[in-house]
Amino acid sequence: MIEAILRVNHLSVSFDTYAGTVRAVRDISFDLGPGETLALVGESGCGKSVTCRSVMGLLARNARVEAGEILFQGEDLLKKSNREMRAIRGGKIAMIFQDPMTSLDPTMKIGRQIAEAVTLHRKVSRGEAKRRVLELLQLVGIEEGEKRYHQYPHEFSGGQRQRIVIAIALAADPRILIADEPTTALDVTMQAQILDLMKDIQRKTGTSVIFITHDLGVVANVADRVAVMYAGRIVEIGTADEVFYDPRHPYTWGLLASMPTLATEDEKLYAIPGTPPTLIDPQPGDLFAPRNPYALEADKIAEPPLFPVSGTHFAATWLLDPRAPKIDPPEAIRRRARERGSL
Amino acid sequence: MNRWIPYIAKRLFYMALTLFIIITATFFLMNFLPGTPFNNQDRLSASQLEMLNKKYGFDQPLFSRYLNYLGNILHGDFGISLQFSDQKITTLLGQRMGPSIQLGLQAVLFGTVVGVFLGMIAAMHQNRGLDVFCSLFAITGRSVPNFVVAVLLQYLFAITLKWLPIGLWDEGFRSTILPTLALSISPMAESCRFIRTEMVEVLSSDYIELARAKGMSEIRIAFSHGLRNALIPLITVLGPMTVSLMTGSLVVENIFAVPGIGEQFTKSILSNDYYTIMAVTILFSALLVTVIFLTDILYQLIDPRVRVEGQA
Amino acid sequence: MKKILSLALTLALILSLVSFASVEEEKKVLNWFIGGEVTTLDTTKTYDTISGEAVFYFADTLYRLDQNADPIPNLAVALPEISEDGLTVTVTIRDDAYYANGEKILAEDVVYAVQRIYDPEVASQKTTIAPIKNATQVRAGEVAVEELGIQALSDTVIEITLEAADPYIVKKLSDTGFSPVSKAFVAEKGENYALSSDALLGSGPFYIDGWTGTELSWKYIKNPYYWDKDNVYFDEINVLIVKDANTFLNLYEAGQLDGVSLTSDFVPLYEGDEALVDVPTLRMTNLELGINSVEVNPDYPHNYLQNINIRKALLYGIDREELVRDVLNGTAAPTVGIIPNGIAASPTGESVAESFGNLTYFDLEAAQNYFKTGLEELGVEGITLRLVTSDTDESIKIGTYLQSAYQTNLPGLTIDLANVPSSVRFDEMMAYQFDLALGGWTGEYDPTSYPNQFETSYAHNHGQWKSEELTELINKLNFEDGTDYEARWEHLRQANQYLIDNAIVVPLEQAVKSYLINPKLKNYITLSLGYSSFDLTRAYFEE
């Protein structure tokens, strides 16, 4: 068993708001191996961003870590001081954000912005820092580095800016890269380019990636493993193959069903009915139950734990309990599995 | 650099045009001021008044006086003061301008620097202790008139503690300290308020979040990234604020017996000293127009997004 | 060796400082004030008290006034010779008087100065200082300036010819308008004359230094050539223009000024203080009545003020004691008539108040009766009158007081108060169309100028009151009475009585200036007359 580079154990995070305490992350656990890409999938508000910010130590002032530990290279990040975290942030664990149009300081040359990321974590001379910046620019595919170094963000397109953001993230050669919906704001062509770039970089540098997204199509492209989150919990986790072709949680079924494939005929697109719950004073039982066409009585009483499907595949649904009735996944899911099998 | 030249030339032209319009409008409007420019008017006999008008050319038709005046100012002759019996206005204002400009610049500089600093602290501690303190300070500064502050400062530092001179302008830099402090309250409060508001907004933007993710400390973020972006709206107000301070605060100057130009701005109108009114109007307008121009240039230096286009 | 050397050096330094200090100590310096910005330091052009005071230090006058306002010879060797008919005045000046540059002062310099006053090229705003022959014609440009009634008969004798005999001529000769001005010096300085201290030539006990037109402080330095320099105590007088009353006081308390003028806010704080000095002035504040506005403009909304009972109600319906005490904090005295107390004495030495009596007193009952009668005659229930004042602090205070006092004392009277800039008020008054205006007059030496305000043809007769009787009296005073002091006094009495009987104007108060003066300062003269409040030229510090 290869040693995990990041271990999140039973993390729970709440927010104190005027409306009440929002229990955003409720007992999450997962591992991240070296060089692997883990996708965190789920609707807005499911807790995927909060989880990653907890790792980075970038939570808002009104956030409280109720329980859990985040082990990075053996040390619990939650126990570290702000100063220690600053050394790790951007240095060992880096993050890239969603909107490239607003992620860069409009009044500072991009060369300098990247150089900052270098000098924050490495004691190098200005000349060396600049060389590193040019190296990075080449790495992310921005041509004419010398000239571009002195330009401002508004002189670049959206796709180029995202590359620059990636360059910043990679500046200090981080072990983990957290990408918070990095392609959501881009058009499809750029999306493909950025994803290719990220895969390419990962191959070259061996960085582990946590990829947050709500777009399963993207997941299919990049992820080694997938964790599906709902209402602050991981409801299913496994390898990409397992989750795509043998999903066990009704929520995962819903997500996959709402994703059209080439074989989907002109029908109304499927969408999971209802909306995610607010996480203030969550009701007892499985929070997905109200929207779950396969809900059991048990779902109203207690939240299901993660049941193992295989050594790498787990799902938190009472359907996997030996006492549960046997239910087949919906037709769309089975069809996908069949198509795959026939390839 | 050459893309600047046509821009500057255009701006200079418009500045001159603006000044010309202001001069003309003021000259003709002044004509409607009641009374005479002669201080002793209560006691002058009709014939004396006639004689005085003749000597100073006020019996000439308005338009020819206007043309004369324009011709004169192009030679740098701004006429003579009627209040101050034939003193050349260029001398009068020239000598008095120095202290006012010095005080104005010092007050703006000091007030803005301190105000920006306070505003940044307030924004970084939003809604907590230091923010409340800074904001209260700013509100108080705006509400209390600067002459009240002036008198209090004088009482505390000059009379009770005797650390600084009561007034006059004869002890070099020490004489400028108290009036500068009194005048700096206003720019300090304005800057603090502006910067706080802007910084709060800036600090919640994505690029700041990214900077945090780089591992930068809050303070460094505030100075490196936050400040430059927050400064832009402040620059807009700094211009006119500077001008109004440089053209003298009458009351503060009187309290500290500073030989400044503030009084001229008000007194010349009250005593109908036509040429002084024209001169101070021109001075004020010229300063304002120049400051606005400089502000625009400053924008371009700070915010690359609004730079003059025209590079290859 | 090093130690001894450094010790020696230190000793030497200390000694030099001490000797320097002791040399400094010997200079006698007075720190005085000027009440506001000076408008000009050209002695032939000054028209206000501030500038008048400022020139007084360096411009020697023919005569000086003592504490009783009696003239004593100064630059002149003796009181002037006046001809029988009073029209010729001969003054002999000293033979040993020199300017601050060592040049001799000559009679022709005095003549030149007076010529400048009336020369239309010079355009002085100084109003007539004496009824000199041909003055008006010279000013109007009809006659050459050499024709002015003043001639130098020799290097030391000046002959002045007057249009009419003037009993106050000697006092008038104490004005700085008669101070000598060197024609050569003026020619040398050209258009820069009097614009800076280099362009001014001191003839008096001091000369001016460090003034270029805009300073708030400068010096007067003892004139080493002054004929009376042995009696001039101070080596240097530093003057300061301080405009803020508070700062002013603080400087005095801190010992940086030896005198300060107090505004009404501060006077009560120093009651009984040995440094407090009150100087009555000749500044009269009057409530002027726009009596004949409707004659000037037939569309004028009313003619209330043409009714003598209304006017008398206003005259007797105001408590001047209260005004002076509560509103002005004792910086004024109530009037007794048109003519201020202290300007002159009767032939038997009585003051104006003693001789003419107090004619402007407060009589509420009488005033109310007058008012009622007036309303009946006008056929109205009540009237509204607009009171216009300047927008200075003092004017606003007085105006507000008048409004509330009149409305309380005379039910049925409504006063609309308008505080406007001085020039606006001036314009209104000169248009002769107004109801009530807060105005006033400051005369110089001749009481005639006070009743003269209301003479029919006078340009500043704002109320446009027409009276042959008054014109006759004024003419007698100006042209007939000459030096017949009894006749003058009697005509003044009649004029005063006439104006009060007809309630042509409502005199209110006579300004008193209050000062704090360093008790060590002695032998200074406070003046109610003329253009300067103080004569410090022979003052000294009591050691």
Side-chain angles (χ1 to χ4, degrees), chain A residues 162-179:
Chain A
Q162 196 63 306
R163 291 169 191 267
I164 295 172
V165 169
I166 294 174
I168 290 177
L170 296 174
D173 216 9
R175 296 286 80 225
I176 302 181
L177 179 66
I178 302 180

Side-chain angles (χ1 to χ4, degrees), chain A residues 72-117:
Chain A
F72 174 64
Q73 296 182 335
E75 297 178 312
D76 186 1
L77 297 180
L78 294 172
K79 293 207 167 41
K80 285 193 178 291
S81 71
N82 208 355
R83 234 170 143 221
E84 290 169 323
M85 279 310 290
R86 266 190 267 139
I88 293 179
R89 229 181 274 146
K92 306 243 177 70
I93 309 180
M95 194 158 168
I96 60 183
F97 295 87
Q98 179 175 328
D99 188 352
M101 302 305 274
T102 57
S103 289
L104 296 169
D105 183 341
T107 63
M108 193 186 277
K109 294 182 183 167
I110 59 116
R112 200 170 141 201
Q113 294 190 49
I114 307 176
E116 260 180 358

Side-chain angles (χ1 to χ4, degrees), chain C residues 130 190 209 437:
Chain C
D209 183 54

Side-chain angles (χ1 to χ4, degrees), chain B residues 26-42:
Chain B
T26 312
F27 192 92
F28 285 103
L29 279 175
M30 256 186 355
N31 199 41
F32 294 108
L33 282 177
T36 76
F38 307 111
N39 286 2
N40 208 18
Q41 61 196 13
D42 287 346

Side-chain angles (χ1 to χ4, degrees), chain C residues 304-416:
Chain C
Y304 300 148
L305 290 165
Q306 289 188 321
N307 181 306
I308 191 173
N309 288 310
I310 299 287
R311 300 203 303 270
K312 285 196 173 188
L314 292 173
L315 182 63
Y316 297 109
I318 195 82
D319 186 353
R320 293 164 182 78
E321 298 279 344
E322 190 179 71
L323 170 64
V324 154
R325 187 187 60 235
D326 296 338
V327 178
L328 299 173
N329 280 342
T331 54
T335 55
V336 295
I338 307 290
I339 298 174
N341 211 10
I343 187 171
S346 78
T348 49
E350 286 176 323
S351 70
V352 167
E354 288 164 346
S355 183
F356 296 167
N358 181 6
L359 300 179
T360 55
Y361 48 83
F362 179 47
D363 186 344
L364 184 58
E365 213 184 298
Q368 286 174 341
N369 285 334
Y370 282 125
F371 194 62
K372 251 204 307 235
T373 316
L375 288 179
E376 274 166 24
E377 289 173 355
L378 288 170
V380 292
E381 293 285 314
I383 57 172
T384 306
L385 293 174
R386 181 170 168 276
L387 167 61
V388 63
T389 80
S390 293
D391 56 4
T392 61
D393 280 345
E394 191 179 294
S395 304
I396 295 179
K397 270 193 215 172
I398 299 176
T400 317
Y401 172 76
L402 287 176
Q403 180 187 40
S404 82
Y406 274 133
Q407 287 180 165
T408 316
N409 295 343
L410 302 174
L413 174 60
T414 313
I415 305 267
D416 283 343

Side-chain angles (χ1 to χ4, degrees), chain C residues 8-125:
Chain C
L9 269 166
T10 321
L11 262 168
L13 196 64
I14 297 175
L15 274 171
S16 63
L17 281 173
V18 167
S19 60
F20 189 64
S22 57
V23 164
E24 281 288 341
E25 290 232 57
E26 285 182 22
K27 226 198 259 170
K28 297 184 226 105
V29 178
L30 177 69
N31 294 310
W32 204 249
F33 60 92
I34 301 265
E37 304 250 19
V38 296
T39 52
T40 176
L41 291 186
D42 181 340
T43 54
T44 60
K45 285 187 173 179
T46 57
Y47 53 80
D48 59 78
T49 40
I50 291 171
S51 308
E53 264 181 59
V55 300
F56 201 69
Y57 297 97
F58 67 80
D60 210 20
T61 50
L62 295 176
Y63 297 92
R64 284 168 61 222
L65 296 177
D66 66 12
Q67 193 61 50
N68 295 323
D70 289 327
I72 47 181
N74 195 35
L75 182 59
V77 294
L79 292 179
E81 280 170 35
I82 306 184
S83 65
E84 273 291 317
D85 58 3
L87 296 178
T88 313
V89 179
T90 314
V91 180
T92 310
I93 64 169
R94 308 185 72 94
D95 194 27
D96 56 350
Y98 297 90
Y99 290 107
N101 66 356
E103 288 188 10
K104 199 146 189 248
I105 298 178
L106 305 170
E108 63 194 49
D109 296 340
V110 175
V111 172
Y112 176 65
V114 180
Q115 285 175 342
R116 277 180 66 87
I117 297 176
Y118 296 100
D119 187 347
E121 285 302 306
V122 173
S124 163
Q125 285 187 51

Side-chain angles (χ1 to χ4, degrees), chain B residues 140-151:
Chain B
T140 317
R142 280 208 94 213
S143 325
V144 176
N146 62 9
F147 57 84
V148 172
V149 178
V151 172

Side-chain angles (χ1 to χ4, degrees), chain B residues 34-35 39-44 48 55 83-88 92 95-96 159 254-255 263, chain C residues 37-40 45 47 121 125-127 139 191 195 212-214 243 247 250 426-427 442 444 460:
Chain B
N39 286 2
N40 208 18
Q41 61 196 13
D42 287 346
R43 305 162 61 99
L44 295 173
Q48 215 175 355
K55 166 88 186 323
Q83 265 182 78
F84 295 104
S85 216
D86 301 347
Q87 290 276 1
K88 280 202 171 31
L92 262 182
Q95 287 172 354
R96 285 285 175 94
I159 296 170
N254 275 358
I255 290 175
E263 194 162 300
Chain C
E37 304 250 19
V38 296
T39 52
T40 176
K45 285 187 173 179
Y47 53 80
E121 285 302 306
Q125 285 187 51
K126 225 175 176 28
T127 48
R139 258 215 177 120
E191 62 174 21
L195 296 185
T212 57
T214 60
K243 301 178 210 167
T247 308
N250 289 330
F426 171 72
D427 262 11
T442 310
E444 290 126 44
H460 293 277

